């Protein structure tokens, strides 16, 4: 499961770039340098996905194999909330709470983009959802 969204960087005159995410129309930003565009892109993507999660909106999955796109990930809290929501699928939070032997509010916090779940919690919920927790530094 991937949380890196493809973005295109369109050069602007006299300098800089406009960054547009292909899977989320509202997600766009700009920057003077490539590094600034990546930083700003991650910030706008994080902010929009937080709103989507808080509002219970459906979140599009990132497109794969997009030619000439740069892939940008939201922050770790949003990534974990997204991954849990996607892996949960149609299972209710109540069912997840029962399986985890925890309360419904505790299960709900796992999909809260403002909550920092522990690695132990993430590993346990991944196992319950038939997944494996894999960490990566990029």
């Amino acid at each position: 499961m991937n949380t890196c969204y493809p973005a295109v960087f369109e050069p602007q005159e006299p300098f800089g770039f406009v960054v547009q995410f292909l899977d989320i129309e509202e997600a766009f930003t700009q920057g003077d340098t490539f590094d600034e565009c990546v930083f700003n892109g991650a910030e706008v993507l994080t902010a929009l996905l937080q709103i989507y999660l808080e509002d219970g909106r459906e979140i599009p999955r990132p497109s794969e194999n997009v030619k000439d796109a740069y892939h940008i990930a939201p922050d770790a809290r949003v990534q974990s909330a997204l991954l849990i929501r996607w892996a949960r699928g149609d299972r209710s939070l109540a069912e997840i709470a029962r399986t985890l032997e925890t309360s419904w509010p505790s299960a709900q916090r796992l999909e809260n983009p403002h909550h920092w779940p522990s690695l132990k919690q993430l590993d346990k919920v991944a196992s319950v959802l038939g997944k494996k927790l894999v960490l990566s530094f990029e």
Side-chain angles (χ1 to χ4, degrees):
M1 298 175 78
N2 180 18
T3 60
C4 293
Y5 283 83
V8 292
F9 291 43
E10 189 174 312
Q12 298 296 297
E13 293 295 330
F15 57 86
F17 303 89
V18 169
V19 180
Q20 176 67 57
F21 286 90
L22 303 177
D23 298 306
I24 304 173
E25 276 186 32
E26 308 94 325
F28 60 91
T29 188
Q30 64 181 26
D32 291 338
T33 66
F34 182 80
D35 289 340
E36 185 178 357
C37 288
V38 172
F39 179 85
N40 292 346
E43 284 205 329
V44 75
L45 182 63
T46 296
L48 274 170
L49 293 175
Q50 280 178 348
I51 292 167
Y52 281 25
L53 285 160
E54 290 165 356
D55 292 347
R57 291 175 59 181
E58 186 170 331
I59 299 170
R61 303 248 183 162
S63 296
E64 295 182 16
N65 303 320
V66 179
K67 187 177 179 180
D68 299 326
Y70 188 83
H71 290 78
I72 299 175
D75 74 14
R77 289 175 299 164
V78 169
Q79 286 184 56
S80 66
L82 276 177
L83 291 171
I84 291 168
R85 180 175 287 181
W86 288 339
R88 181 169 61 89
D90 293 334
R91 294 172 72 179
S92 71
L93 281 173
E95 181 182 346
I96 299 302
R98 280 191 300 277
T99 307
L100 290 171
E101 298 177 347
T102 191
S103 67
W104 184 85
S106 292
Q108 185 183 33
R109 275 194 299 276
L110 294 169
E111 292 183 17
N112 180 337
H114 301 288
H115 174 69
W116 283 101
S118 69
L119 285 175
K120 184 177 179 179
Q121 289 172 313
L122 288 173
D123 191 47
K124 189 172 181 180
V125 75
S127 178
V128 162
L129 295 171
K131 302 291 183 187
K132 178 179 157 186
L133 178 63
V134 177
L135 301 175
S136 174
F137 287 121
E138 294 183 7

